[in-house]
Amino acid sequence: MSDPDELLRIEGIRKTFPGVVALDGVDFDLRRGEVHVLLGENGAGKSTLIKMLSGAYTPDGGRILVGGEEVRIHGAQDSERLGIATIYQEFNLVPDLTVAENIFLGRQPRRFGMIERGRMEADAEVLLKRVGLSVSPRARVRELGIARLQMVEIAKALSLDARVLIMDEPTAVLTSEEVETLFGIVRRLREDGVGIVFITHHLEEIAALGDRVTVIRDGRSVGQVPASTPEDELVRLMVGRSIEQQYPRERADAGPALLTVEGLTRDGVFHDVSFEVRAGEVVGIAGLVGAGRTEVVRAVFGADPYDKGAVKVGGASLKGHDVNAAMAAGIGLIPEDRKGQGLVLDQSVEENLGLVTLRAATRAGLVDRKGQQEAAARIAKQLGVRMAGLGQHVRTLSGGNQQKVVIGKWLLADTRVLILDEPTRGIDVGAKVEIYQLINELTANGAAVLMISSDLPEVLGMSDRVLVMAQGRIAGELSADEATQDSVMALAVSNPTTDKEAARGH
Ligand SMILES: Nc1ncnc2c1ncn2[C@@H]1O[C@H](COP(=O)(O)OP(=O)(O)OP(=O)(O)O)[C@@H](O)[C@H]1O
Ligand SMILES: [Mg+2]
């Protein structure tokens, strides 16, 4: 019964962690030359499933067959030997080594016991070309941006001559242009007969790239459908209900300006940035990656310095480069890099949720532990954080659930001005709607929300006004009615310096 085109088969796989049944009977199969999408809510068990194939975890039950034969995968070497390469949700590269060293880590070509650096770098060069990446094999990985890291990971997978390539949310951190490059590479691999397991929360990518979809819900495979299945049907399979409205923005009447930014400039980074966000408003900031959006909001929050300009909250000027002053004035920032800046991984969900409020409460001289706990439990429930309990360490939550904790922490903190940088990256479609509803609640209560997002439908769907940044400047502002995919993109690719001069008749 051995089918030559079947690369991989998983039957009834199970895995339990203390207090959590992560997988409770998953079936899956992968064929030569197909992209098989794994779809499921945050915490459904997708990453756990692929970690059994990469050898990071061993299953408690069920079978894994590779090429028709049952295998046991204990560790990365077993996985590699079976022709399986994995690109994790969290990258696995060593920052201080070069690109070539990372690609051939542990497998450097040797001669008389010495690493053949020249040959290794030449081989790396060929692989980098295949993935369309123009960096030197001698560059340190630390110096690369996240999209290039991803390409290095793929080059590494190619060097292993993998027959099975597993990609866990590879597009979560990429711009649309980079996504296209990635898709090109994946399609070429598929033509070469590689089987690809692809995890994503971006539903539009499924029809664009996939062949089949396996849906996982609460640790079980609940369906296998063609990738051409309509999105609302996919959502229904995934969350067990349909979602009426993807962007439930309820506009409130805008009050006085809460956040005022005047002529903010950081030499060489952003220039003359001015805008305000009024009470009850959601202002979106759109723009291409590298336009300076994150840099501006970090300066507003006091995380980075600026050279000129002013930031005011409720009319009062804020001391620059002072996060404590910003927080005391009621500004909160949910950062883009949540692993690095938003969470204490070896503390519990409850402790992480309390990080901001606790600071405020301690300052006021009283810590209401019970109130803290209740508030944490309420927000965790509202956001649907999938966990064994509030005591679970954040490190062992799924990627999307970690994100929900960072967001929950600031939602609890009673901020007047909340800045969100890519708030729903890695979040499943159902949980996104919950976050949007919490944003509605905040603005209905008079808070001001400033939201950076590279997800254009999200910016358009949730903002009352949209600021578009290009090359470190505000290229234009659009009302909710004026803002469309086209009008935003036109501003995003404009050159605000020369365009302004042209307008002045220079
Ligand atoms: N090492 C661990 N210890 C305890 N629980 C864990 C561990 N790893 C995963 N879990 C739990 O297993 C469940 C499934 O997690 P998994 O990471 O597989 O989800 P996922 O489908 O990849 O979600 P996401 O879309 O958020 O990445 C979650 O409830 C998670 O908290
Ligand atoms: Mg995951």
Side-chain angles (χ1 to χ4, degrees):
M1 78 135 245
S2 174
D3 173 349
D5 282 338
E6 180 183 293
L7 294 173
L8 183 75
R9 174 169 293 279
I10 288 171
E11 291 174 356
I13 212 106
R14 284 187 292 109
K15 179 74 186 174
T16 306
F17 295 111
V20 191
V21 181
L23 295 176
D24 191 19
V26 170
D27 299 324
F28 179 81
D29 72 289
L30 183 70
R31 304 182 65 76
R32 275 174 55 85
E34 79 161 341
V35 176
H36 195 148
V37 177
L38 271 180
L39 183 65
E41 290 180 289
N42 297 132
K46 304 176 297 293
S47 295
T48 304
L49 179 67
I50 60 146
K51 282 178 183 164
M52 316 262 187
L53 298 172
S54 66
Y57 296 148
T58 46
D60 299 337
R63 303 205 303 161
I64 300 176
L65 295 93
V66 174
E69 291 198 20
E70 185 166 352
V71 295
R72 284 180 202 287
I73 306 174
H74 297 287
Q77 273 160 356
D78 284 352
S79 172
E80 208 169 282
R81 203 161 19 79
L82 291 165
I84 301 171
T86 307
I87 297 173
Y88 287 107
Q89 206 165 354
E90 304 88 21
F91 292 115
N92 250 353
L93 301 170
V94 186
D96 283 323
L97 295 183
T98 67
V99 168
E101 285 165 341
N102 266 288
I103 291 177
F104 292 107
L105 193 63
R107 304 173 292 131
Q108 291 99 331
R110 280 171 199 271
R111 205 156 173 243
F112 308 121
M114 305 274 280
I115 293 178
E116 289 185 275
R117 190 159 279 284
R119 202 179 111 203
M120 180 172 83
E121 286 169 359
D123 289 352
E125 191 109 49
V126 174
L127 291 163
L128 293 170
K129 200 168 260 155
R130 269 180 76 190
V131 300
L133 184 61
S134 54
V135 302
S136 160
R138 275 183 232 121
R140 305 236 161 240
V141 156
R142 176 183 297 295
E143 296 152 19
L144 306 181
I146 213 153
R148 289 163 146 199
L149 285 180
Q150 184 113 56
M151 297 303 171
V152 174
E153 289 268 15
I154 296 171
K156 185 172 176 177
L158 294 178
S159 78
L160 296 169
D161 237 339
R163 282 175 302 160
V164 174
L165 177 60
I166 301 170
M167 307 177 93
D168 196 351
E169 294 190 43
T171 56
V173 294
L174 300 185
T175 64
S176 47
E177 212 169 276
E178 291 160 347
V179 168
E180 276 314 310
T181 311
L182 178 73
F183 280 14
I185 295 166
V186 171
R187 288 189 184 112
R188 243 179 295 142
L189 290 170
R190 170 168 60 189
E191 272 162 36
D192 292 344
V194 175
I196 295 127
V197 182
F198 197 89
I199 300 178
T200 183
H201 287 293
H202 296 141
L203 298 181
E204 73 280 2
E205 293 172 1
I206 294 175
L209 188 70
D211 296 297
R212 283 191 293 166
V213 183
T214 288
V215 183
I216 300 184
R217 199 196 303 157
D218 297 335
R220 289 197 195 99
S221 38
V222 293
Q224 199 207 82
V225 293
S228 55
T229 306
E231 283 185 17
D232 52 355
E233 173 67 12
L234 291 173
V235 168
R236 208 186 47 72
L237 279 169
M238 184 174 150
V239 304
R241 63 188 156 87
S242 41
I243 289 179
E244 311 275 291
Q245 213 184 349
Q246 171 88 71
Y247 303 106
R249 174 73 186 137
E250 289 158 13
R251 297 208 159 77
D253 283 334
L258 278 188
L259 175 69
T260 311
V261 175
E262 288 170 355
L264 211 64
T265 299
R266 182 170 182 193
D267 297 332
V269 185
F270 51 82
H271 308 274
D272 200 17
V273 171
S274 301
F275 62 87
E276 57 177 39
V277 188
R278 296 158 67 188
E281 248 190 337
V282 176
V283 173
I285 311 186
L288 303 178
V289 167
R293 299 172 298 168
T294 294
E295 288 75 7
V296 167
V297 299
R298 282 180 55 82
V300 168
F301 184 59
D304 288 334
Y306 51 85
D307 298 312
K308 274 198 287 270
V311 175
K312 295 177 184 165
V313 177
S317 281
L318 204 63
K319 188 163 164 245
H321 203 184
D322 185 343
V323 170
N324 288 324
M327 283 172 51
I331 305 187
L333 170 69
I334 297 178
E336 167 183 47
D337 165 18
R338 287 174 265 262
K339 268 265 169 69
Q341 301 165 16
L343 291 171
V344 185
L345 291 176
D346 286 317
Q347 285 191 3
S348 69
V349 172
E350 184 183 335
E351 283 166 311
N352 272 278
L353 282 173
L355 280 178
V356 190
T357 38
L358 199 57
R359 219 174 309 177
T362 318
R363 222 181 7 241
L366 37 107
V367 179
D368 173 9
R369 290 234 171 253
K370 189 145 176 296
Q372 282 275 320
Q373 198 172 4
E374 280 168 10
R378 179 173 52 78
I379 201 89
K381 180 154 185 278
Q382 211 161 354
L383 289 172
V385 177
R386 196 188 150 103
M387 56 185 179
L390 286 170
Q392 186 173 350
H393 277 191
V394 163
R395 185 183 297 284
T396 63
L397 289 182
S398 81
N401 283 301
Q402 292 183 352
Q403 318 255 35
K404 293 186 202 170
V405 171
V406 189
I407 292 173
K409 162 181 116 170
W410 283 105
L411 293 175
L412 274 179
D414 205 19
T415 44
R416 284 205 292 165
V417 177
L418 184 62
I419 306 173
L420 306 126
D421 194 353
E422 305 287 359
T424 61
R425 182 181 272 175
I427 301 258
D428 72 55
V429 288
K432 274 186 191 175
V433 178
E434 303 299 328
I435 289 172
Y436 300 147
Q437 258 145 10
L438 287 164
I439 290 177
N440 281 340
E441 246 175 68
L442 284 174
T443 53
N445 290 326
V449 172
L450 182 63
M451 180 175 82
I452 296 180
S453 171
S454 297
D455 183 342
L456 210 42
E458 171 174 282
V459 173
L460 298 176
M462 284 304 291
S463 309
D464 305 336
R465 269 189 301 136
V466 180
L467 305 170
V468 186
M469 280 192 74
Q471 303 182 13
R473 293 171 191 270
I474 304 265
E477 184 190 314
L478 301 164
S479 67
D481 293 336
E482 292 165 333
T484 62
Q485 199 113 0
D486 291 341
S487 61
V488 170
M489 281 320 287
L491 284 170
V493 301
S494 69
N495 181 339
T497 325
T498 53
D499 293 357
K500 232 180 232 166
E501 279 167 10
R504 268 194 241 118
H506 281 269

